[in-house]
Amino acid sequence: MAVQTHRAEPRSPIPERRSPRKLRERIANIALELLMFALLVFFLAPTLWMISSSLKVSNEIFASPIVWIPENPQWGNYVKIFEVLPLWRFTWNTFVVVALAVAGTVISSALVAYSFARINWPGRDIWFSLLLATMMLPDVITLVPRFVLFTNFGWINTWLPLIVPYWTATTAIYVFLMRQFFRGIPYELEQAAMIDGAGRLRILFQLILPLSVPVLATVAVFAIIQHYNDFLNPLIYINSQSLWTLSLALRAYNDTNVSNWELVFAAATFMLFPMVLLFIFAQRYFVQGIATTGFGGR
């Protein structure tokens, strides 16, 4: 006797209902994203207006309502700034000062941070606390003593005040970042290198620093931004125009050419461009260094 089997008809899928909690979380995320986008537009608006104004004619810059996109972009403004200013000379001056100051910052901070992180010596923690306490001192407080000191050294109207102090690990935050990262490196690696006969400097430069690329890149990026945008120190110590950096030259041109704002904005955009490239290419190391520094220490 044959047994007849009946196939169950497929039922239409029941739509999954979202819980009120998930719906609220979704709405909160969308609201947060909209808020972040609004803040991004708010903070970028002056920069975008500056870039746009660098391509305008004079009567478009302060037009009302604001002209965001110039009707006829004046790319020749970027050519004119090189005709009225020796920008390549100022760019080279800035490159030399920034390169030497950043190199000194990274090397000296690494040496001091290694001493605080990996070497036990009497009073180490006390001196480290005093170093961190210098972060509470405004830079302007030491301005006059430094000026008197550099005057006695005969360093006025030279690049030495912009370079030499940074070879002595004067920026405590960089030492702190490197120290925290160095403390996260296993001590067994250092002990194995000592057994093989390696000294402290060899361990630092051949073992610790190659493992610390993220924090080195982070400190280098911060230092580049610091020295590239530095205006006060060049203003105080440099008198000759041939030694000006970009920040000082741009300020001087701004004071003497208030009728040619399009050229001022073109020069400012030219100065901004290297920092944009730096952020694009160093973003990965920068984020990695911030994310890992301070969480792996002992």
Side-chain angles (χ1 to χ4, degrees), residues 145-276:
R146 282 187 286 122
F147 182 82
V148 173
L149 181 66
F150 296 149
T151 301
N152 293 332
F153 287 168
W155 288 2
I156 302 300
N157 201 29
T158 69
W159 290 336
L160 293 178
L162 311 180
I163 298 172
V164 175
Y166 300 101
W167 283 83
T168 58
T170 55
T171 310
I173 184 62
Y174 300 152
V175 177
F176 173 76
L177 290 175
M178 288 191 179
R179 174 186 178 271
Q180 295 301 102
F181 196 96
F182 291 168
R183 286 169 63 89
I185 298 176
Y187 284 93
E188 291 77 13
L189 297 175
E190 188 172 351
Q191 293 172 354
M194 288 181 177
I195 293 174
D196 292 337
R200 289 291 185 181
L201 289 178
R202 185 177 178 184
I203 290 174
L204 174 62
F205 287 101
Q206 295 187 4
L207 177 63
I208 302 297
L209 294 186
L211 296 174
S212 306
V213 173
V215 71
L216 295 177
T218 301
V219 171
V221 169
F222 277 136
I224 290 173
I225 296 174
Q226 172 190 352
H227 298 298
Y228 186 80
N229 294 328
D230 189 13
F231 169 74
L232 181 61
N233 288 319
L235 177 65
I236 294 174
Y237 299 118
I238 296 179
N239 301 322
S240 301
Q241 181 177 347
S242 60
L243 299 177
W244 281 0
T245 58
L246 277 174
S247 59
L248 190 58
L250 184 60
R251 176 62 182 179
Y253 183 73
N254 186 13
D255 290 340
T256 57
N257 292 272
V258 293
S259 60
N260 298 322
W261 283 105
E262 67 277 7
L263 299 185
V264 174
F265 290 135
T269 304
F270 173 80
M271 184 176 176
L272 175 68
F273 185 68
M275 292 296 99
V276 175

Side-chain angles (χ1 to χ4, degrees), residues 5-221:
T5 59
H6 298 277
R7 293 183 179 179
E9 295 181 358
R11 299 180 179 179
S12 59
I14 301 175
E16 182 182 355
R17 296 182 178 178
R18 293 185 178 179
S19 64
R21 180 179 179 182
K22 291 183 178 180
L23 183 59
R24 287 195 299 268
E25 291 179 354
R26 180 62 176 170
I27 295 175
N29 290 335
I30 294 176
L32 180 60
E33 291 176 1
L34 292 176
L35 176 61
M36 293 176 64
F37 179 77
L39 290 175
L40 177 65
V41 173
F42 177 78
F43 285 110
L44 286 182
T47 302
L48 296 177
W49 183 76
M50 178 191 71
I51 297 174
S52 173
S53 298
S54 68
L55 299 173
K56 297 176 183 177
V57 294
S58 297
N59 57 3
E60 285 183 325
I61 294 178
F62 298 108
S64 180
I66 296 177
V67 178
W68 289 100
I69 301 177
E71 182 178 352
N72 185 18
Q74 303 294 315
W75 297 102
N77 291 340
Y78 288 94
V79 178
K80 291 180 183 178
I81 59 174
F82 288 94
E83 296 175 353
V84 300
L85 280 176
L87 272 187
W88 289 123
R89 176 65 181 177
F90 300 145
T91 303
W92 171 252
N93 294 346
T94 305
F95 173 77
V96 173
V97 171
V98 171
L100 295 177
V102 170
T105 298
V106 174
I107 294 174
S108 62
S109 298
L111 289 169
V112 175
Y114 177 75
S115 173
F116 282 128
R118 317 291 290 199
I119 303 176
N120 291 321
W121 45 275
R124 181 189 66 175
D125 295 337
I126 297 176
W127 283 105
F128 182 68
S129 299
L130 291 176
L131 177 66
L132 293 183
T134 61
M135 296 172 58
M136 307 302 167
L137 278 176
D139 190 60
V140 69
I141 290 180
T142 60
L143 187 61
V144 173
R146 282 187 286 122
F147 182 82
V148 173
L149 181 66
F150 296 149
T151 301
N152 293 332
F153 287 168
W155 288 2
I156 302 300
N157 201 29
T158 69
W159 290 336
L160 293 178
L162 311 180
I163 298 172
V164 175
Y166 300 101
W167 283 83
T168 58
T170 55
T171 310
I173 184 62
Y174 300 152
V175 177
F176 173 76
L177 290 175
M178 288 191 179
R179 174 186 178 271
Q180 295 301 102
F181 196 96
F182 291 168
R183 286 169 63 89
I185 298 176
Y187 284 93
E188 291 77 13
L189 297 175
E190 188 172 351
Q191 293 172 354
M194 288 181 177
I195 293 174
D196 292 337
R200 289 291 185 181
L201 289 178
R202 185 177 178 184
I203 290 174
L204 174 62
F205 287 101
Q206 295 187 4
L207 177 63
I208 302 297
L209 294 186
L211 296 174
S212 306
V213 173
V215 71
L216 295 177
T218 301
V219 171
V221 169

